[in-house]
Amino acid sequence: MTPDAEITAAFWKHLRSDRTVMLGLEASAPTTLRPMTAKLDGEADQGPIWFFTSTDSAIVQGLNSQDLAIFTFVSKGYDVFATVHGHMTRTTDRATIDRLWNTWVAAWYEGGKDDPKLALLRFDPASAEIWRDGSSLLSGLKLLLGADPQADAKDNVAKVSLS
């Protein structure tokens, strides 16, 4: 596996388990960035990525027919960091809502799946810059022995296409 593929796989693995991102519209970031819970559909390491939110949220209010969006991600253990760009649309597809619905989502919507404030956003990732934490005891020893830290760091960054 190439370093970019390894870093990308680590991103999807951590996003699948940690799921909290800062999501917003590119045109108005950083003012619309909000903490949101990402929902991945299925086991594949690819999009779309789904977000339940409210119709009165700044993201929904500022969303056009197919807006460019961005999210940032930090894994819980600070092992992976990412900035992801893509397109976001709002959907009312009931089959998708039914498939992604769970008790955690239900807690936010008094009217359940028919709540008038329920909004489901579809984020189709296009590209990302992903960083893997390169700090370790071994890299610290290399630095003490005069190794170039930039050489090790370049293997921990990937600019990748996700579409």
Side-chain angles (χ1 to χ4, degrees):
M1 190 180 285
T2 68
D4 284 2
E6 287 176 12
I7 293 170
T8 303
F11 162 72
W12 286 110
K13 175 186 170 204
H14 285 281
L15 182 62
R16 188 169 299 287
S17 66
D18 298 345
R19 299 189 352 229
T20 301
V21 305
M22 293 296 290
L23 175 70
L25 302 173
E26 278 198 15
S28 56
T31 58
T32 60
L33 290 174
R34 299 290 185 267
M36 302 285 285
T37 301
K39 299 197 60 67
L40 281 79
D41 197 6
E43 296 300 316
D45 287 344
Q46 61 188 31
I49 302 167
W50 303 92
F51 299 93
F52 283 98
T53 190
S54 174
T55 56
D56 58 6
S57 70
I59 293 172
V60 172
Q61 294 296 311
L63 191 63
N64 293 318
S65 61
Q66 187 166 8
D67 247 326
L68 294 177
I70 184 172
F71 73 74
T72 59
F73 171 76
V74 179
S75 66
K76 287 181 183 173
Y78 305 104
D79 300 305
V80 174
F81 304 81
T83 301
V84 181
H85 300 267
H87 295 339
M88 189 157 54
T89 54
R90 182 175 171 196
T91 181
T92 56
D93 181 53
R94 186 55 181 252
T96 304
I97 293 170
D98 289 344
R99 190 173 62 252
L100 299 173
W101 193 261
N102 61 40
T103 54
W104 297 101
V105 174
W108 290 93
Y109 302 98
E110 190 175 294
K113 296 175 191 175
D114 296 315
D115 193 306
K117 291 199 175 230
L118 174 71
L120 180 61
L121 302 176
R122 175 187 172 128
F123 181 93
D124 290 293
S127 64
E129 189 164 6
I130 307 166
W131 299 265
R132 201 171 35 184
D133 181 18
S135 61
S136 68
L137 182 57
L138 179 59
S139 25
L141 288 172
K142 285 181 177 180
L143 185 60
L144 286 173
L145 295 172
D148 179 6
Q150 290 183 10
D152 283 344
K154 73 178 178 182
D155 291 336
N156 289 311
V157 178
K159 289 184 181 180
V160 296
S161 172
L162 297 178
S163 53

